[in-house]
Amino acid sequence: MTVDAEAARAATGSPNRLTELDLLEAESIHIIREVAAEFEKPVLLFSGGKDSIVMLRLAEKAFYPAKIPFPVMQVDTGYDFPEVLATRDHWVDRLGVRLIVASVEQAIADGVVVDDGKTSRNRLQIGTLLNAIEENGFTAAFGGGRRDEEKARAKERIYSHRDDFGQWDPKNQRPELWSLYNGRIHAGEHMRIFPLSNWTELDIWHYIAREQIEIPSIYFSHRRRVFERDGMLLSESEFNPCRDGETAAERTVRFRTVGDLTLTGCVESAASTLDEVIEEVAIARVTERGATRGDDRFSEAAMEDRKKEGYF
């Protein structure tokens, strides 16, 4: 149903009028069910962040009362926030889904990726992820990317073809007219699926509030020792010590996105409830990645370059 159709339905005074969130939810559930029916071995990429949690909640609804018929996989950098890992484990335990952890540490030890001391763990996720997909024979991987999140992600369709090297060619995307998806792949290839493509950050927060979804506590205001680097506030930790000239101090902050703690910044904020976060996000003029992800600041095409190599 289009927005115009929804407005027309509202004009009739129908008590069953769908909200915008209902429409987004229905579309995402349709996509998830379509993939489960079409692909032999799908997997849901689950970081424990808000977008992947919403995606997992949608998968739960798509197959309820049955269990989710595919595993979830986290690519663990070794530098993830403990609060995020704890939330990940709560969700996995509650739903009884199989969790696969693709460890960057293990990939380094096995020679799958090379730690040269300069490449970020976030970038080393690429080889780790592609190796895990190949080893497990996955033919489709759900990702939580949204089109408003970063301009390279706005180029990608809901079904995103990856070749036998796991790479994405933005010039060779398949049309999706009338929401019809072409999932044809050859041996060794796979498809990335983005059920949240038409959601915004604000939609995600409204849905979390409506469904009362459990998310990591660091999305809300809390006290934390942070320091400033490259215009961002980063967490002080054993993996991320202060450099010469940097000084850590305790501030009231929250995170808009989560990931590798050595590259993921926070923002000063007093938003400690869902309503306060929604109000703050509604007036924000910078996306969460643009404001707080150091790996997206290396160049104008940083995200697109990583996605072409096989990133989420």
Side-chain angles (χ1 to χ4, degrees), residues 145-161:
R146 307 185 324 269
R147 288 177 180 164
D148 75 320
E149 189 178 359
E150 206 277 341
K151 58 188 177 182
R153 285 186 164 160
K155 291 184 178 182
E156 206 155 16
R157 306 259 166 83
I158 290 174
Y159 272 38
S160 176
H161 175 262

Side-chain angles (χ1 to χ4, degrees), residues 251-283:
R251 300 197 197 183
T252 301
V253 299
R254 76 173 191 88
F255 289 83
R256 291 181 64 187
T257 183
V258 297
D260 179 342
L261 63 80
T262 66
L263 291 169
T264 304
C266 50
V267 294
E268 290 196 90
S269 171
S272 59
T273 67
L274 284 171
D275 287 343
E276 290 171 346
V277 169
I278 288 171
E279 183 178 351
E280 184 176 273
V281 171
I283 61 174

Side-chain angles (χ1 to χ4, degrees), residues 44-119:
L44 188 147
L45 302 179
F46 185 62
S47 68
K50 65 182 188 306
D51 298 321
S52 65
I53 286 175
V54 165
M55 187 167 58
L56 188 58
R57 171 62 172 158
L58 292 165
E60 178 187 11
K61 283 192 166 189
F63 304 106
Y64 183 83
K67 288 189 175 181
I68 296 172
F70 41 76
V72 300
M73 180 165 68
Q74 186 215 2
V75 183
D76 184 3
T77 65
Y79 295 164
D80 293 298
F81 291 94
E83 298 92 338
V84 175
L85 297 180
T87 304
R88 176 203 69 185
D89 293 341
H90 289 163
W91 274 90
V92 168
D93 291 344
R94 183 177 71 79
L95 296 178
V97 293
R98 180 164 71 96
L99 171 66
I100 299 168
V101 177
S103 166
V104 172
E105 289 276 7
Q106 190 61 48
I108 293 171
D110 293 343
V112 173
V113 296
V114 177
D115 184 5
D116 59 7
K118 296 180 290 184
T119 304

